[in-house]
Amino acid sequence: QVHLVESGGGLVQAGGSLRLSCAATARTITRYTMGWFRQAPGKEREFVAAISESAYITYYSDSVKGRFTISRGNAENTVYLQMNSLKPEDTADYYCAAASTVPPTRTRLRAEYDYWGQGTQVTVSS
């Protein structure tokens, strides 16, 4: 069992930055692919970014590529999402997730992730 807790959300103006953190407890996340998803009001939860176990491979949705950066500190058992140049359309609840085994071609799929955090809210004002 992996317990994930997100933090770092808040209110920011368009063009600003936030750094989300996802702290894992109860088990090390070293062997997990870690992902970030988001869900805006009235919309389905969508993929944002993911990082492989080794941290050598990262994945991004087209909407955040070049603005967001996912990283992991295995020693800290934590995953981060640095969000720059934020836009009002980035407003959503952001969720951290862990996948024990996932083929690279399926990294963007919610169903591949075994554990989820409770989410942290990000609001970007125009």
Side-chain angles (χ1 to χ4, degrees), residues 22-118:
C22 171
T25 60
R27 182 174 291 186
T28 178
I29 58 171
T30 304
R31 296 186 180 276
Y32 288 82
T33 292
M34 300 299 296
W36 285 95
F37 290 75
R38 68 186 181 187
Q39 186 167 16
K43 296 188 177 181
E44 291 191 358
R45 193 171 298 187
E46 65 174 4
F47 171 79
V48 175
I51 187 166
S52 66
E53 299 169 14
S54 65
Y56 291 153
I57 304 173
T58 55
Y59 309 82
Y60 296 96
S61 68
D62 289 342
S63 61
V64 307
K65 193 175 297 182
R67 300 187 297 123
F68 290 11
T69 302
I70 188 171
S71 61
R72 65 191 299 162
N74 283 342
E76 301 85 11
N77 224 29
T78 302
V79 178
Y80 306 96
L81 185 68
Q82 178 67 43
M83 306 187 296
N84 298 328
S85 302
L86 282 162
K87 305 175 181 179
E89 50 264 44
D90 294 319
T91 295
D93 291 326
Y94 283 71
Y95 298 88
C96 176
S100 56
T101 55
V102 54
T105 55
R106 299 180 64 82
T107 304
R108 294 172 171 80
L109 302 179
R110 288 180 297 171
E112 295 294 335
Y113 289 80
D114 306 297
Y115 304 102
W116 293 83
Q118 293 300 305

